[in-house]
Amino acid sequence: MTQAQIDFEKISQHFASKASAPWTWVFYGDSITHGAAHTRGFRSFPEIFAERVRWEMRFLYDVIINTGISGQTTVQLLDEKRYDWRVRRFKPDVVLLLIG
């Protein structure tokens, strides 16, 4: 089984079990993640995801954090200090990387 399959199974189990402990989801990336520059006033994917998870699926205590910054480059995203500040400090259960 690949790591992606293992991760998908863990996420599926989380959503299948209403008794599971709340998770922290961190979105990390550039303007695609940030959502301010190109959405023309519409919601970004992390906002839509948060609404789906917390409201529609009723995982009220899951936390969804958007650390995307418009204009970030791959070099900046790979910088360990930036990653520590924008992702690791939240001790996420899931990290979603969105780059364009």
Side-chain angles (χ1 to χ4, degrees):
M1 189 177 273
T2 67
Q3 186 61 51
Q5 291 169 318
I6 293 167
D7 293 343
F8 181 78
E9 184 61 31
K10 287 179 184 177
I11 292 169
S12 296
Q13 288 173 1
H14 173 67
F15 286 134
S17 173
K18 290 291 185 182
S20 67
W23 276 14
T24 300
W25 306 75
V26 174
F27 283 81
Y28 182 60
D30 59 9
S31 61
I32 299 297
T33 313
H34 187 196
H38 306 292
T39 58
R40 296 186 181 107
F42 292 99
R43 291 177 296 159
S44 65
F45 179 71
E47 291 172 306
I48 294 167
F49 180 86
E51 181 180 309
R52 173 86 171 123
V53 169
R54 297 188 70 222
W55 176 250
E56 293 175 23
M57 297 177 76
R58 307 300 292 169
F59 284 84
L60 303 176
Y61 298 101
D62 277 20
V63 174
I64 293 90
I65 302 166
N66 182 354
T67 67
I69 298 175
S70 291
Q72 290 289 278
T73 65
T74 304
V75 171
Q76 291 168 321
L77 292 169
L78 291 172
D79 180 86
E80 191 169 346
K81 288 181 183 178
R82 290 176 197 219
Y83 185 82
D84 285 346
W85 180 249
R86 291 172 53 196
V87 176
R88 199 170 281 132
R89 72 182 178 126
F90 297 111
K91 297 180 174 70
D93 297 284
V94 180
V95 177
L96 298 104
L97 174 66
L98 305 176
I99 55 176

